[in-house]
Amino acid sequence: MGVLKAIHRAASVWTSPASPEDYLQIINPLASARQLRGVVTEVRRHGARSATISFRPGRGWEPHLAGQWARVGVEINGVRQWRSYSLSAAQGHDPEITVTAIGRVSRHLVEHTKTADVLFLAPPQGEFILPTGPRPLLMITAGSGITPVMSMLRTLIPRRPDADVVLIHSARNEDDALFIDELRTMDRQYAGLTVVIHFTGNNGRIDFSNASAVETVCPDWRSRKAYVCGPTELLDDTEKLWANAGLPQGLQVERFAPALLAPSDTDGGTITFAKSDKEAVCDGSTPILEVGEEAGVIMPSGCRMGICRTCLTPLVSGQVRDLRTGEIHADEGELIQTCITAAVGPVHLEV
Amino acid sequence: MTITNASVIERRTAIYDDTQKKRTGVLPTEGGAHTRPKAAAHLTDEQVNELGRELDAIRASVLAERGADDAAYIRKVIKVARTCDLAGRTALIFGKHKPMFLLGIAGVSMGKVLENMEIGHNVLHGQWDWMRDPDIHSTTWEWDFVAPARGWQHTHNDLHHTYTNVMGKDRDVGYNILRISDEQPWQKRDIFNPIVNAFLAPTFEWGIASYDLEWDQVQTGAKSREQFDKDLEALKAKAVRQVLKDYIATPLVATLTGSGKWSLAGMIGGNMVRNVWAHSVIFCGHFPDEVDVFTEDVLDGETRGDWYIRQMLGSANLSGSPLFHILTGNLSHQIEHHLFPDLPSNRYIEVAPKVREICDRYNLHYTTGPLGTQLAQTWKKIAKLSLPDEFWERHESGKPGKWQVLRDAWKGRTTPKTA
């Protein structure tokens, strides 16, 4: 490593102000000093609507823990778009994601990804991971909420003869259920795993608002460490159930969709300036730069009319509108021009 | 997206007084400027607003079409520029052989011209930010040019582009060391105008770097000493790396083949070619005949349409082939660039006929011509402005005593024309 670093430093004397990776890019599309990338090693399609994509990440990736997720970027019509996916492969293996074609990025991944394609990546993250010591577990999942749990089962079950896991998984029907064959095989093969699959298409949803459904399948649910991942309703119901049972610590929840407020007719809102620890309320036509300066926040600024881009500021969350074009910007981490954008609902900025 | 915010925070927070603060946001699309430039005085407020809407529509149509082809274009240019640079420097390692020496200079010049003009200048304008690729972004790009990118963005993107050709506001006008408009009062040092310019051309990157420090602004108190020191530190660090790379490290490798001296000469030559080229193209952007300069009062009540008009009247294009446009970084489309500084440069060529049609319809001048003509006009102007205006008035009207004017001006006995 020390030698590589020395070579890198020496090479950067010749490539300055660019990095050696920038020059390596001429021949190797994976090379980048700023952006982690991965190359697709295999694409397995399950029907028309979903696919499992395996990839080999470049330097800078940290091996994932079972249950973690990573941000994956693709380029759609020239623009880098990001979305987060659970890594469904067992810990210690090359990462893979299982994607259902809902939404622009997922559809692009399912329909267009081929072996040897380049994906843009951010290192794995997330606290939805296995407990450190051996414990009986209960997993409740629905739809694609099975993906992080799949990684946990693949990691834990084959290696631990003493594992004791109950999985309650809901899917619309047999065709829509991800990993269903593998789950059934594992259920037969390992005594420590009980898989209960519920098809909501025929039988309706399981009601998790009271204990009876869980009680029937898993009578000792109170003594198990529970994990839940799926649609918001499921998460809310189970959270309430565990809280009412006096076990709020016993449940680990994974939420995917952050609550995004729909833009209202009366735009504007509260802008939170995270670094400056300030807040300001504003209407939908005052540029954010002006709102910030009024509130005493030191904001980068330049031409004040949207041409010089000195004022670019990362959007942590929320939505802003370009006052020239009406275009809405709402992507986490996107750099916005504060001198010509106004808040649409609550906005968090990193200044 | 994962663009780190470090560079954003490092950026300068400009100090504006209250009158400038009012400008924040989008320029109005209704009403009209208090005073219009002479060349646009025949237009009514309604006509100016309509012109603004027409140019907005051109901008919107490019935004709607922007996509994968544009992204592929800029990536290709970057690849070509880096390949040329690498090939050029490799050739110079064997520079004692004449063909290799020539190939080396050609490669280095081409690499640097593309990197500075079609890539660096345009990326630093944020023209490619929409791709959200941190490798090609206005907050991360550092160019192969002595002037540090962040400081240049301030003087160029912000000051020059906001106050295009407004005397006293656009500090590009005159570059502080030249007299480039008869609105600037003649001073003794202006005698050296052509010599200064001739010296500036081959050392252009150093000129820009020192200009970006804005020493004169420190003296007037508009820029803090602290900011100046910071900018100077950044320049020193960048200059050391540039000198180390081009004039020390590369020739050092070439000594292995006995080509050290040739390599050094080639690198100096390559940088000079780039500098003279950039200087020529850039001086043709705002200084040929027929290009207007403005007084500060045009800024009062300026609407979007008025702003567009100022950009059109204050800029000049160069005509030529598509390859020529790429080599100028599309600054041959200076007018379109000033109207839409953040649209991808490869789109200016298709926008230009529409802009020209609008200029014709509204009876506004659209200055363009071949490089040779524009450059000759620019140099002639710089030479002419080295002497007081009265000298030329007497000369042209055939009045005797023109040398007397110069002698008096030199001794400070007459007051030369002032703005």
Side-chain angles (χ1 to χ4, degrees), chain B residues 2-305:
Chain B
T2 50
I3 286 172
T4 49
N5 52 324
S7 51
V8 179
I9 287 148
E10 271 303 302
R11 289 179 168 210
R12 189 190 315 251
T13 304
I15 304 157
Y16 283 82
D17 62 33
D18 286 343
T19 50
Q20 281 165 315
K21 239 181 185 172
K22 281 186 200 138
R23 276 190 84 112
T24 294
V26 178
L27 289 178
T29 51
E30 315 246 302
H34 300 172
T35 38
R36 291 231 152 84
K38 246 182 275 161
H42 59 282
L43 297 175
T44 64
D45 285 357
E46 286 71 37
Q47 285 173 314
V48 171
N49 292 336
E50 179 55 27
L51 176 141
R53 281 191 289 276
E54 287 183 38
L55 286 164
D56 280 349
I58 292 176
R59 181 183 146 83
S61 73
V62 174
L63 288 180
E65 285 167 20
R66 210 169 55 176
D69 290 348
D70 301 276
Y73 169 78
I74 191 65
R75 294 215 168 94
K76 189 171 172 189
V77 178
I78 291 172
K79 209 167 181 174
V80 169
R82 290 196 173 135
T83 308
C84 284
D85 176 58
L86 212 58
R89 282 197 273 162
T90 309
L92 286 178
I93 291 172
F94 308 94
K96 66 177 176 186
H97 310 287
K98 202 173 171 191
M100 286 307 233
F101 181 69
L102 294 176
L103 201 68
I105 290 196
V108 170
S109 316
M110 179 63 87
K112 282 181 185 269
V113 162
L114 286 174
E115 202 279 343
N116 288 172
M117 317 236 358
E118 181 65 342
I119 307 166
H121 169 263
N122 295 327
V123 168
L124 292 177
H125 261 292
Q127 292 182 4
W128 303 95
D129 284 5
W130 57 276
M131 289 163 60
R132 305 205 223 156
D133 181 345
D135 280 337
I136 311 174
H137 200 276
S138 66
T139 57
T140 56
W141 192 269
E142 184 56 69
W143 56 353
D144 186 12
F145 201 68
V146 173
R150 303 299 153 246
W152 180 83
Q153 280 178 316
H154 165 69
T155 54
H156 180 83
N157 292 10
D158 181 7
L159 300 180
H160 169 58
H161 273 270
T162 311
Y163 300 113
T164 311
N165 281 25
V166 177
M167 297 297 303
K169 285 273 199 178
D170 179 356
R171 298 184 53 261
D172 271 24
V173 179
Y175 295 98
N176 301 327
I177 51 170
L178 287 172
R179 181 170 182 242
I180 56 84
S181 163
D182 56 10
E183 303 277 342
Q184 291 169 297
W186 184 86
Q187 306 171 48
K188 274 184 207 173
R189 66 166 200 193
D190 295 332
I191 282 280
F192 303 108
N193 232 18
I195 298 165
V196 170
N197 200 31
F199 180 75
L200 179 64
T203 59
F204 194 51
E205 60 176 326
W206 296 93
I208 296 282
S210 57
Y211 153 74
D212 285 349
L213 290 174
E214 308 176 292
W215 173 242
D216 58 312
Q217 298 290 92
V218 180
Q219 285 172 316
T220 62
K223 176 171 177 168
S224 71
R225 187 64 199 238
E226 202 187 353
Q227 184 66 52
F228 176 84
D229 289 342
K230 256 187 171 160
D231 289 352
L232 186 63
E233 278 312 304
L235 172 57
K236 272 195 217 155
K238 180 83 189 285
V240 165
R241 283 198 305 273
Q242 290 293 106
V243 168
L244 180 65
K245 168 180 79 150
D246 282 357
Y247 304 132
I248 298 173
T250 305
L252 208 62
V253 176
T255 55
L256 296 174
T257 68
S259 302
K261 267 188 282 184
W262 292 100
S263 167
L264 177 62
M267 290 308 297
I268 293 172
N271 271 312
M272 271 170 52
V273 169
R274 179 270 314 273
N275 283 334
V276 170
W277 177 251
H279 174 271
S280 301
V281 169
I282 288 160
F283 269 60
C284 286
H286 299 288
F287 306 151
D289 299 348
E290 289 181 37
V291 173
D292 290 349
V293 293
F294 313 98
T295 47
E296 282 187 37
D297 52 354
V298 302
L299 296 172
D300 288 337
E302 195 172 54
T303 63
R304 194 124 115 201

Side-chain angles (χ1 to χ4, degrees), chain A residues 303-316:
Chain A
C303 69
R304 298 178 163 261
M305 55 183 292
I307 59 166
C308 82
R309 296 191 169 245
T310 307
C311 65
L312 290 179
T313 299
L315 179 68
V316 177

Side-chain angles (χ1 to χ4, degrees), chain A residues 65-101:
Chain A
L65 302 174
Q68 284 192 311
W69 52 270
R71 294 202 306 133
V72 175
V74 292
E75 215 165 82
I76 304 176
N77 199 19
V79 184
R80 191 79 47 91
Q81 308 278 2
W82 292 88
R83 213 174 163 314
S84 301
Y85 294 97
S86 292
L87 300 162
S88 46
Q91 206 165 301
H93 288 72
D94 262 0
E96 59 186 44
I97 54 175
T98 298
V99 184
T100 305

Side-chain angles (χ1 to χ4, degrees), chain A residues 184-252:
Chain A
R184 284 178 176 150
T185 310
M186 283 173 91
D187 186 26
R188 275 197 302 276
Q189 209 173 340
Y190 300 103
L193 176 67
T194 309
V195 177
V196 180
I197 295 176
H198 176 86
F199 293 116
T200 56
N202 307 332
N203 311 318
R205 284 197 188 153
I206 306 179
D207 180 12
F208 284 102
S209 63
N210 61 64
S212 64
V214 191
E215 205 85 50
T216 326
V217 184
C218 183
D220 61 346
W221 63 277
R222 284 184 178 82
S223 63
R224 288 173 181 263
K225 163 92 175 162
Y227 291 81
V228 57
C229 185
T232 313
E233 275 171 50
L234 171 70
L235 305 182
D236 292 347
D237 283 353
T238 46
E239 248 175 350
K240 244 178 259 160
L241 180 59
W242 259 260
N244 290 342
L247 301 160
Q249 302 300 320
L251 183 74
Q252 179 103 27

